């Protein structure tokens, strides 16, 4: 099993320095704000997004000040979106910590998200990072569009595979794509290289989200089916595939379970069983590996070096992770 | 009584054209999003912020494409902040319409706010409006800081007048200041003029918020005291002044009413009576007029023309409005 620590080797110093700069970028004159951002900083995530930024920059040229700003920008934005996500999902926990909305209420959480977004902007505007800003604001637009498209489609349960891909491309893959594009752009890569790495990030992001969606059909720590997406009537690839490949009476039965009985643990387990036995997991896994392969293929047009190797490992990490 | 329509005369054509461009700026490929933005556009506000942008541009030079982008940027941002405000305040209504969170739930409302913010960014980034972006992202930072400072201070009720002014300067005045600065900057004004108009907007914004806070001590349509701020334990200028000018036992009594009985209509009315009889409303009105005068004084350094006249009227409108 790949370890993040090993993948980070070529950029270990940069990531350490980045942490300091990131902390600095959140500073405010309002004490409550500093208490909350301190709390956020304690819950260090995997730093996957900054990793994509630094590795992409290394692959295309030199890691420089602009790369740090790109990494801070995407990480501020990502943090803002997580805080807002917890409000919209009414989540009480994140990474084993209480969520901001759980500790300080929704009001504060919405404002903190806006504050972090503004900080990211200011950082880039002051240093005249127009290209980074363009790359990232496009991602912000797509992320909200993707989430809203998902909400819209969740009401009707007859979602098609192409819509599923549009949703995950926008809500998840656009940010990872923008990380890679920011990294490349910060290293003054040619437009063509920036575009290629953006496409690479998009493929990785799609594979990443399929992996996430597959987890929902697994078992939790105590061996119970997870099924959170089903509870929320989110139609993901394994279920979409399974429904497409069954007869119409079985389809009606399963849709009825999702529509009207998704609060019932046993009924959710029934849906999961149906997806498993219809080959839905195998199909989604195959698709995921296909996107992974497309990502690898794009990397092949770049020179072979330690950054490229780490990027390949990072891609593998996203599809092989256990949670 | 001044009428907005009359104040708008020098920029009537521009405001009409702005409406079209603003509608355009919200367009999305997601049908649900378009339905919601259509709904938002139906609830046309007073357009005070675009008015400040256009009038400031007219005062400093020529209204041009950049002015329209500045107006769209602040209006998108303002709309986003209203949608988020309704989520944080759990409000069901806005301008006589149901709020977005009331019709589409919190989840959608938070995402719509983020989407509108991103649209504003994209608009300015694509047209390389770095100065507008810098002016406006500073305002976004300050708006969230101001709101958070207010929340922090609301817990302790011994807020001082200087903190009150810091809060309203950040949460309200910073956006109006940025409107005037954007207008001036779009017309290629000298930095000094941009700074002066920014200061002008800040004075107006502070007067505007004091006026808003005074309304809370008035009567509603059926002649009952309003007192919403007191209910939420928001300490505003009239109450801060009244508490400062009373003996310590009366101070304890009033603070106890706000702290422990703000749900009770009669107790809230008691607080309002106390503020009225202690001269709190007179004091706040005087302060408001002082800021208004400072705003007028700044305008005097600009040439006398139809834009300056309209700006003066607009200032008067904000302090003389009846709601």
């Amino acid at each position: 099993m790949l370890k993040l620590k090993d993948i980070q080797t070529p950029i270990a110093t940069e990531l350490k320095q980045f942490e300091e700069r990131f902390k600095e970028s959140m500073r405010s004159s309002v004490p409550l704000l500093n208490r909350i951002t301190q709390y956020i900083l304690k819950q260090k995530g995997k730093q996957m997004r900054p990793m994509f930024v630094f590795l992409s920059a290394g692959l295309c040229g030199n890691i420089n000040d602009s790369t740090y700003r790109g990494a801070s920008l995407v990480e501020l934005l990502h943090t803002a979106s997580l805080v807002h996500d917890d409000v919209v999902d009414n989540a009480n926990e994140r990474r084993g910590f209480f969520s901001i909305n759980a500790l300080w209420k929704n009001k504060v959480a919405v404002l903190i998200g806006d504050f972090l977004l503004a900080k990211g902007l200011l950082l880039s505007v002051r240093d005249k990072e127009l290209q980074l800003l363009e790359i990232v604001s496009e991602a912000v637009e797509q992320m909200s569009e993707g989430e809203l498209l998902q909400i819209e489609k969740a009401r009707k349960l007859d979602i098609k595979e192409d819509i599923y891909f549009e949703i995950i491309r926008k809500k998840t893959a656009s940010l990872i794509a923008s990380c890679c594009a920011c990294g490349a752009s910060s290293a003054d890569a040619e437009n063509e290289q920036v575009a290629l790495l953006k496409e690479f990030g998009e493929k990785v992001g799609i594979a990443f989200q399929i992996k996430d969606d597959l987890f929902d059909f697994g078992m939790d720590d105590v061996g119970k089916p997870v099924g959170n997406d089903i509870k929320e009537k989110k139609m993901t690839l394994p279920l979409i595939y399974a429904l497409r490949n069954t007869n119409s009476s079985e389809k009606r039965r399963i849709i009825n379970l999702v529509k009207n009985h998704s609060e019932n643990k046993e009924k959710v387990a029934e849906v999961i069983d149906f997806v498993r036995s219809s080959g839905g997991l195998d199909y989604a896994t195959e698709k995921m590996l296909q996107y992974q392969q497309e990502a690898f293929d794009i990397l092949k047009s770049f020179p072979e070096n330690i950054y490229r190797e780490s990027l390949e490992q990072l891609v593998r990490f996203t599809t092989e992770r256990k949670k």
Side-chain angles (χ1 to χ4, degrees), chain A:
Chain A
M1 178 67 196
L2 284 160
K3 280 198 181 120
L4 264 185
K5 219 178 144 55
D6 298 330
I7 304 176
Q8 289 170 347
T9 309
I11 50 168
T13 326
E14 284 87 348
L15 280 178
K16 215 161 175 59
Q17 211 187 320
F18 165 72
E19 257 180 71
E20 281 311 302
R21 294 216 197 178
F22 184 60
K23 208 180 284 179
E24 198 54 43
S25 72
M26 287 190 173
R27 199 178 294 276
S28 157
S29 61
V30 176
L32 172 63
L33 248 161
N34 284 325
R35 282 207 300 286
I36 299 176
T37 51
Q38 291 280 337
Y39 179 76
I40 291 176
L41 286 164
K42 270 199 288 182
Q43 319 159 38
K44 218 179 112 184
K46 295 195 200 80
Q47 292 199 300
M48 285 192 39
R49 284 157 195 83
M51 285 175 71
F52 276 112
V53 178
F54 285 110
L55 291 172
S56 299
L59 186 66
C60 293
N62 284 319
I63 292 170
N64 55 43
D65 259 10
S66 189
T67 316
Y68 283 93
R69 288 193 284 267
S72 290
L73 178 58
V74 292
E75 195 67 355
L76 281 167
L77 167 61
H78 176 59
T79 311
S81 80
L82 293 182
V83 174
H84 278 180
D85 277 358
D86 287 344
V87 176
V88 304
D89 294 340
N90 238 325
N92 280 315
E93 248 188 50
R94 153 105 34 208
R95 296 173 186 159
F97 286 80
F98 285 113
S99 65
I100 308 296
N101 44 306
L103 287 179
W104 284 279
K105 305 264 186 302
N106 278 352
K107 194 173 181 115
V108 172
V110 172
L111 292 168
I112 289 281
D114 293 350
F115 170 78
L116 295 174
L117 202 52
K119 279 296 204 186
L121 292 180
L122 269 175
L123 184 91
S124 335
V125 170
R126 286 197 176 136
D127 292 301
K128 313 220 182 304
E129 298 282 12
L130 259 181
Q131 200 174 359
L132 297 188
L133 265 176
E134 178 157 9
I135 292 167
V136 165
S137 39
E138 218 170 283
V140 183
E141 179 189 18
Q142 298 216 337
M143 284 159 75
S144 48
E145 280 194 346
E147 293 276 359
L148 285 161
L149 186 58
Q150 180 163 58
I151 292 172
E152 174 164 39
K153 294 298 176 183
R155 293 192 192 145
K156 300 173 202 169
L157 297 179
D158 67 336
I159 175 173
K160 296 282 184 300
E161 192 169 320
D162 57 339
I163 299 287
Y164 166 79
F165 278 105
E166 189 186 344
I167 291 171
I168 69 172
R169 186 174 57 74
K170 288 188 160 173
K171 78 165 188 173
T172 308
S174 65
L175 186 60
I176 299 180
S178 82
C179 291
C180 300
C182 276
S185 164
S186 77
D188 289 327
E190 302 285 329
N191 285 342
E192 199 192 333
Q193 281 191 311
V194 177
L196 267 178
L197 275 174
K198 187 175 176 189
E199 208 190 320
F200 161 78
E202 190 173 291
K203 306 280 186 200
V204 180
I206 290 173
F208 179 92
Q209 186 60 50
I210 296 177
K211 179 75 179 180
D212 238 34
D213 293 341
L214 275 165
F215 282 133
D216 203 58
F217 294 88
M219 305 299 175
D220 65 15
D221 295 342
V222 289
K224 290 233 173 96
V226 182
N228 286 325
D229 290 341
I230 298 171
K231 252 179 255 160
E232 292 172 26
K233 305 189 204 311
K234 268 186 209 162
M235 305 295 282
T236 61
L237 190 55
L239 179 52
I240 293 169
Y241 172 85
L243 284 173
R244 195 173 64 211
N245 289 281
T246 190
N247 61 55
S248 57
S249 74
E250 181 72 346
K251 188 171 172 175
R252 268 197 304 277
R253 185 179 77 86
I254 297 294
I255 290 218
N256 176 48
L257 289 178
V258 178
K259 202 171 214 160
N260 305 312
H261 303 282
S262 67
E263 294 300 321
N264 180 324
K265 271 248 164 204
E266 274 86 58
K267 305 284 183 186
V268 169
E270 231 178 278
V271 176
I272 293 178
D273 277 345
F274 159 76
V275 171
R276 290 172 167 274
S277 63
S278 317
L281 304 192
D282 297 336
Y283 178 78
T285 305
E286 195 183 295
K287 278 278 172 190
M288 176 186 76
L289 294 174
Q290 201 175 305
Y291 277 95
Q292 171 172 278
Q293 190 52 52
E294 287 173 19
F296 287 147
D297 289 345
I298 293 174
L299 283 185
K300 281 187 195 131
S301 59
F302 288 85
E304 247 187 291
N305 59 25
I306 45 166
Y307 301 106
R308 188 178 121 178
E309 200 182 323
S310 272
L311 274 175
E312 281 163 358
Q313 289 170 342
L314 190 50
V315 174
R316 226 169 257 124
F317 180 84
T318 65
T319 59
E320 291 174 10
R321 69 204 153 100
K322 300 284 182 231
K323 65 175 183 173

